[in-house]
Amino acid sequence: GGGGIYALLYAAGIAGLRPLTNFKPELLKHYFTVNYFSFIETVRQLTKKGRYAPNMRIVGISSVAALSGDGGQIAYGGSKAAMSASVRSMAKELSAKGICINTIAPAMTRTDIFSSYLERVGSDVYTESLLDRQYLGIVEPQAVANLVAFLLSPAAKFITGACIPIDSGYLTMGH
């Protein structure tokens, strides 16, 4: 019984590399607006009384950049880390409503953005160095979708406030 939204996947986001020397405060605000502030406001609106179904599940797409420290990812990594950190607090607040909320942190995933990036930087050198860190390979979109589907399912009812990496071993490598 009851209506309302059962599942939310927040996958909006912008990525890019910008070293500290080329940084402008407006850029930081732009990244945080899309990757973080909009996520928080979406969750806030959809978890108001009458808008969500019992046992609602929320998943935000964070990034391995939130958990690692690669150069040039101040805005991107920072905004994704803020998302994952806030989810820990929101999990406690939303638990009284029966809502579970998590993020997942993919490493480099075979997407159109990845393909266009390879065209710009040259695929051979970049892919070789990336595969040194992501030794299980470039993450396939279906693997990300499978993890999202699990977290949105009743089978994940005891998982909340987590940031789950799906990173092909990236985080085990150090830097």
Side-chain angles (χ1 to χ4, degrees):
I5 296 170
Y6 173 77
L8 167 66
L9 169 62
Y10 189 88
I14 50 172
L17 298 173
R18 182 72 59 102
L20 184 60
T21 54
N22 296 347
F23 215 78
K24 302 279 186 286
E26 302 79 41
L27 184 69
L28 189 63
K29 186 175 181 183
H30 179 62
Y31 274 80
F32 269 76
T33 296
V34 175
N35 294 351
Y36 177 65
F37 301 139
S38 297
F39 170 69
I40 300 298
E41 182 60 12
T42 300
V43 171
R44 188 178 78 81
Q45 289 295 333
L46 293 181
T47 57
K48 286 183 174 180
K49 188 174 182 177
R51 295 186 178 168
Y52 61 91
N55 302 311
M56 182 185 191
R57 302 285 179 260
I58 301 169
V59 175
I61 303 295
S62 183
S63 169
V64 75
L67 306 169
S68 64
D70 283 345
Q73 293 190 343
I74 298 162
Y76 178 68
S79 64
K80 294 297 191 173
M83 172 194 249
S84 292
S86 293
V87 158
R88 290 190 291 274
S89 293
M90 287 190 287
K92 288 180 180 170
E93 292 184 30
L94 295 173
S95 67
K97 298 178 177 183
I99 297 171
C100 290
I101 183 169
N102 297 286
T103 57
I104 65 170
M108 194 60 79
T109 304
R110 196 176 312 281
T111 62
D112 292 343
I113 292 171
F114 175 64
S115 299
S116 64
Y117 186 73
L118 288 183
E119 288 172 17
R120 285 200 315 277
V121 300
S123 62
D124 295 346
V125 174
Y126 182 78
T127 302
E128 186 177 317
S129 69
L130 179 63
L131 290 176
D132 284 345
R133 292 178 293 168
Q134 280 187 226
Y135 50 85
L136 293 180
I138 308 303
V139 178
E140 294 296 338
Q142 187 62 51
V144 175
N146 291 343
L147 181 54
V148 169
F150 169 71
L151 289 172
L152 294 177
S153 78
K157 71 179 181 178
F158 297 111
I159 302 173
T160 194
C163 177
I164 301 173
I166 179 164
D167 68 352
S168 288
Y170 183 94
L171 292 171
T172 65
M173 294 304 291
H175 292 289

